[in-house]
């Protein structure tokens, strides 16, 4: 699997898990927010790698 696909896939998985944990805990805390930020950054970098062809 290409690196950009791995990056986007991991970002999506992190995002889904963070949302599930937020629902289970009935609220957001700093760790869930950090995981969401990390997931979004990972997805963005994956898409940038695809665009550059790296």
């Amino acid at each position: 699997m290409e690196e950009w696909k791995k990056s986007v896939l991991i970002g999506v998985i992190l995002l889904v898990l963070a949302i599930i944990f937020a629902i289970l805990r009935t609220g957001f805390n700093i760790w869930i927010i950090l995981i969401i930020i990390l997931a979004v950054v990972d997805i963005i970098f994956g898409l940038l790698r695809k665009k550059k062809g790296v």
Side-chain angles (χ1 to χ4, degrees):
M1 185 180 289
E2 297 175 46
E3 287 297 318
W4 71 269
K5 287 181 183 177
K6 287 181 190 175
S7 184
V8 171
L9 182 63
I10 291 170
V12 169
I13 290 170
L14 282 175
L15 194 60
V16 169
L17 286 175
I19 291 170
I20 289 171
F21 283 130
I23 291 170
L24 291 177
R25 293 181 56 98
T26 63
F28 287 92
N29 64 16
I30 189 68
W31 295 109
I32 293 174
I33 293 170
L34 288 174
I35 292 172
I36 291 172
I37 291 170
L38 179 65
V40 170
V41 168
D42 201 19
I43 292 170
I44 289 170
F45 280 132
L47 293 176
L48 287 175
R49 283 186 197 161
K50 178 186 177 192
K51 190 174 184 180
K52 290 182 180 181
V54 175

